[in-house]
Amino acid sequence: MTVLLLSTYDLGRQPFGLASPAAWLERAGHRVITRDLSRDKFADADAQSAQLIAFYLPMHTATRLAVGLIARVRAANPAATLVAYGLYAPLSESVLREHGVDQVLGPEAEADLVTLADSLALGARATATSHPRTDETVAIPRLAFITPSRAALPSLDRYATLQMPDGTRRITGATDATRGCKHRCRHCPIVPIYDGQFRVVPVDIVLADVAQQVAAGAQHITFGDPDFFNGPTHARRIIESLHARHPDVTYDVTIKIEHLLGHRDLLPVLAATGCLFVISAVEAVDDEILAKFEKRHTRADVLTAASLCRAAGVILCPTFVAFTPWTTLARYADLLDTVESLDLVEHVAPVQWGLRLLVTQGSRLLELDDIRRVVQPFDRGSLTYPWVHSDPRVDALQQAIMRLVGVKMTRPRAEVFDGVRQLMGHQKAATAPIRATATVPYLNEPWYC
């Protein structure tokens, strides 16, 4: 039978969430069509040829885009079984079903998709199944991972590239060494699904996936793991083997501040094996906000991690949830001052200065009385619980900053940072001329939600 796998958006990467299930379905003998709609337009003919159509939903933006497409897919093929899978599918199950999705699966969906396709091929009627409720602790399946199938996806040169300080670009691939996360940060969308569980992808499978992307032109690899050091021994094996096999290929990873401190002995290994930068979800530099998020690090830890990374020759790129119900103008100013004092302005993607806390269904943030007091009823359009800050000036600042970064996405990061300071009304005197190019490598599609 024919299966159509659709991705609406995946951070400018060639979607692992299409490539992996495609390999499983092809191995089972099914014909698979993969379409990345962030790069190609949807065609009714694709839907008309498929008996099973599955939407990959790894993030909030992808889910909102998919919701707007479901009706067209259903109209193109009323008889097809529609499935949603990925991290955000169970978080948005009720809305997805309202729009016509028949089955909802979680992020470890490869085997379930094969079972469903096999059943449909035999003429069995699809039954309404779903991922377990997000308020229950459930066992995540343990899959026997296989090498993803990427040949039918758009070429890597059509995706986000790595911008180098010398003005050159590197074609970038992406893969996962682990899935899920053993931590339970309150604001993280991974937690309602994995609840502290994570799964290791075998080293040989990771390296095989990297090798096929290098053969397709990749010069740099992004590891999409929520935290690369959830399994530090596993991580070390992968990066040392990657460097031995592909010494000219660079990479980037995401690592918690807590793990940067706890595994500081591995920082020189990152530098020696071609890690160009480490993304870390710092989120805030205020200890009260960090405690609300249960990030398990403090402001002092952030300062220490920045120092350790600099000493090891590792570029630290922090990300933030800059606007929360607990953000004040003074706290926001302190965030800017702290980043500047650490000489990390060039390390921060401009969009980070305006990101606003998302409260989704199943979020552990709803455990907090002060969140429950501020959120409005769940909005089925935005797929969030909207909230309004008690100080209108804070919301006005956030909106102004997002307008600023939206029109200056290609401008020097220091220029954008100065623009944010101007919006706050206390621009500091420039201590150095603004460079026309970035001083650190960065991916040129830095959206995170």
Side-chain angles (χ1 to χ4, degrees), residues 335-406:
L335 172 64
L336 300 182
D337 291 343
T338 302
V339 171
E340 190 169 27
S341 70
L342 293 172
D343 196 22
L344 294 177
V345 169
E346 291 278 358
H347 299 219
V348 179
V351 69
Q352 294 296 321
W353 300 121
L355 289 185
R356 182 182 180 88
L357 180 67
L358 292 181
V359 184
T360 61
Q361 285 190 319
S363 174
R364 287 194 62 222
L365 288 166
L366 295 168
E367 298 170 355
L368 300 174
D369 289 339
D370 42 359
I371 287 291
R372 290 197 299 269
R373 283 194 296 267
V374 75
V375 295
Q376 300 170 3
F378 183 74
D379 180 71
R380 307 184 89 73
S382 68
L383 303 179
T384 65
Y385 291 91
W387 57 272
V388 176
H389 200 282
S390 59
D391 183 347
R393 298 174 300 168
V394 175
D395 281 344
L397 176 63
Q398 187 266 335
Q399 293 162 13
I401 290 172
M402 290 305 290
R403 288 194 294 270
L404 172 72
V405 301

Side-chain angles (χ1 to χ4, degrees), residues 27-43:
R27 184 179 64 175
H30 299 288
R31 174 175 177 256
V32 181
I33 302 171
T34 53
R35 291 288 182 264
D36 182 355
L37 302 182
S38 73
R39 295 302 181 265
D40 293 313
K41 292 182 178 180
F42 175 75

Side-chain angles (χ1 to χ4, degrees), residues 35 48 54 71 105 111 162 317 355 380 399 420 425 438 441:
R35 291 288 182 264
Q48 291 163 357
L105 306 172
L162 184 75
C317 296
L355 289 185
R380 307 184 89 73
Q399 293 162 13
V420 172

